């Protein structure tokens, strides 16, 4: 549901609390007489002085204004004053997906992988159709809403592309090999990032550089190391994860139709997932901070 409202003014909002740090700014919870919203504040001087700062802001707005999807945060409007640029968005009450995955006591659950993977692939299907490459899909940029379904946040690295781009951007453990190498790439890089998320959802750890704090070591593993799939891993899980984490983007599972052909999604009800009619895997009470 589109929330865009050009009538809103910066003076209509009141600060409530700090929510976190986005790719290029700080995110806070605000409210007006109607509702609660998340607002990202970006320092104008820092954006203008930083490499591609203004360009990134323009790209973020251009991507978000075109989006209307139940699994992706809604854009409201941009505002500014002399010192700051503000991006006003839907406030997603819930639990950060990264916190959820880190605090689980159990994993290796196929139902969990199918439910959350299904949400992620619906996001990618929609973004690809809109020619939007997110380029920073990771659990920290995802919320589990109070309805139990995922919501993708933070389009600070996103870009609309016609065919290819070659900017090196993203978060170390989730960047695809072609992005790291500065080669022309397209939407397949987001499928790699979702593949990393799927590995983390099922195995409880990252496929590349899980224990490393050395960025160059992480990058070396992403570009050169073989993925480790335990021998006792169910074949349906192995098929999906290995397909998503092919280093050659031409061999990778890189579109929604290929995802649907994976055995793990055999007889899966994609339509009712999109309509939020399936029973969620986990229900949270809406604690955004944990």
């Amino acid at each position: 549901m589109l929330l865009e409202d050009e009538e809103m003014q910066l003076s209509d909002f009141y600060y409530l609390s700090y929510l976190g740090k986005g790719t290029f700014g700080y995110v806070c919870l605000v409210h007006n007489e109607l509702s609660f919203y998340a607002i990202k504040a970006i320092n104008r001087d820092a954006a203008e002085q930083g490499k591609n700062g203004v360009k990134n802001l323009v790209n973020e707005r251009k991507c978000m204004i075109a989006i209307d999807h139940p699994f992706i945060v809604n854009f409201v409007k941009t505002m500014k004053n002399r010192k700051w640029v503000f991006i006003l968005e839907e406030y997603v009450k819930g639990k950060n997906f990264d916190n959820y995955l880190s605090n689980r006591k159990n994993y290796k659950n196929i139902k969990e992988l199918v439910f959350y993977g299904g949400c992620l692939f619906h996001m990618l299907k929609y973004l690809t159709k809109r020619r939007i490459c997110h380029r920073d899909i990771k659990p920290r940029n995802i919320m589990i809403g109070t309805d139990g379904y995922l919501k993708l946040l933070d389009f600070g690295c996103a870009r609309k592309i016609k065919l290819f781009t070659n900017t090196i951007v993203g978060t170390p453990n989730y960047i695809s090999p072609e992005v790291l190498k500065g080669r022309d790439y397209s939407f397949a890089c987001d499928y790699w990032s979702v593949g990393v998320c799927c590995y983390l959802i099922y195995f409880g750890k990252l496929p590349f550089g899980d224990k490393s704090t050395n960025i160059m070591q992480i990058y070396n593993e992403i570009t050169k190391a073989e993925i480790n799939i335990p021998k006792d891993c169910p074949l349906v899980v192995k098929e999906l994860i290995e397909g998503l984490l092919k280093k050659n983007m031409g061999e990778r599972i890189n579109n929604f139709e290929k995802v649907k052909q994976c055995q793990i999604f055999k007889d899966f009800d994609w339509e009712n997932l999109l309509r939020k009619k399936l029973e969620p895997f986990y229900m949270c009470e809406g604690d955004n901070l944990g």
Side-chain angles (χ1 to χ4, degrees):
M1 180 178 65
L2 288 170
L3 299 179
E4 191 176 347
D5 187 344
E6 289 300 325
E7 299 301 318
M8 292 179 177
Q9 302 297 322
L10 190 59
S11 58
D12 296 334
F13 296 94
Y14 299 90
Y15 171 87
L16 286 177
S17 64
Y18 171 81
L19 292 177
K21 191 176 186 300
T23 305
F24 295 104
Y26 296 95
V27 184
C28 300
L29 175 64
V30 297
H31 77 98
N32 61 8
E33 294 181 351
L34 299 175
S35 188
F36 296 92
Y37 301 87
I39 191 166
K40 181 188 290 188
I42 302 102
N43 183 279
R44 294 180 69 172
D45 290 338
E48 290 170 2
Q49 294 172 12
K51 184 179 180 182
N52 297 323
V54 174
K55 185 178 179 181
N56 288 330
L57 278 172
V58 172
N59 282 334
E60 183 170 5
R61 185 182 186 279
K62 188 183 294 185
C63 290
M64 292 198 71
I65 203 168
I67 291 171
D68 181 18
H69 192 275
F71 299 158
I72 303 175
V73 67
N74 278 289
F75 169 83
V76 181
K77 70 176 298 184
T78 51
M79 299 175 286
K80 62 183 179 182
N81 58 24
R82 291 197 304 175
K83 291 186 177 182
W84 300 88
V85 175
F86 302 94
I87 298 177
L88 191 68
E89 304 172 358
E90 167 192 14
Y91 169 56
V92 183
K93 188 177 182 181
K95 190 178 189 72
N96 185 268
F97 196 41
D98 186 52
N99 292 335
Y100 164 77
L101 294 176
S102 299
N103 294 330
R104 289 177 303 169
K105 294 181 180 179
N106 300 303
Y107 40 90
K108 292 189 177 180
N109 188 314
I110 291 180
K111 289 183 179 179
E112 181 180 38
L113 175 59
V114 168
F115 182 82
Y116 291 130
C119 292
L120 292 169
F121 292 122
H122 262 308
M123 297 172 193
L124 292 188
K125 177 187 178 183
Y126 181 85
L127 291 177
T128 301
K129 186 177 180 180
R130 294 293 185 277
R131 310 300 298 175
I132 296 170
C133 196
H134 188 278
R135 305 194 295 183
D136 198 22
I137 295 177
K138 58 185 179 182
R140 189 166 290 278
N141 283 343
I142 299 167
M143 293 291 294
I144 302 178
T146 52
D147 59 5
Y149 285 78
L150 299 186
K151 275 269 193 182
L152 179 63
L153 315 175
D154 198 345
F155 280 70
C157 292
R159 181 176 178 179
K160 276 199 164 191
I161 59 176
K162 292 181 179 179
L163 293 174
F164 300 99
T165 185
N166 53 24
T167 309
I168 301 175
V169 64
T171 300
N173 293 96
Y174 297 86
I175 301 177
S176 68
E178 64 270 17
V179 174
L180 279 177
K181 293 176 180 178
R183 295 177 178 172
D184 286 347
Y185 64 85
S186 185
F187 310 103
C189 71
D190 283 343
Y191 279 85
W192 171 280
S193 299
V194 168
V196 175
C197 292
C198 287
Y199 191 101
L200 181 59
I201 291 167
Y202 188 78
F203 292 110
K205 60 181 181 179
L206 293 163
F208 304 106
D210 182 63
K211 302 297 183 181
S212 179
T213 56
N214 184 306
I215 291 179
M216 294 312 298
Q217 182 180 339
I218 295 170
Y219 289 169
N220 187 62
E221 288 190 31
I222 290 171
T223 55
K224 297 178 181 179
E226 293 296 322
I227 184 172
N228 179 27
I229 303 287
K231 292 182 179 179
D232 62 349
C233 176
L235 290 178
V236 292
V237 174
K238 182 179 180 181
E239 176 196 25
L240 176 67
I241 291 177
E242 282 190 340
L244 290 166
L245 296 179
K246 293 283 187 183
K247 296 189 189 299
N248 185 327
M249 62 181 178
E251 299 174 357
R252 191 178 304 154
I253 293 174
N254 56 17
N255 61 60
F256 191 69
E257 291 307 312
K258 288 183 179 180
V259 170
K260 289 171 66 177
Q261 292 170 13
C262 292
Q263 286 300 303
I264 197 169
F265 291 113
K266 184 181 180 182
D267 300 323
F268 183 61
D269 195 339
W270 289 99
E271 288 303 314
N272 275 330
L273 178 72
L274 186 62
R275 293 170 183 162
K276 297 187 176 182
K277 291 185 177 180
L278 298 186
E279 182 180 353
F281 184 83
Y282 166 82
M283 293 294 292
C284 62
E285 296 180 359
D287 179 6
N288 281 64
L289 301 179

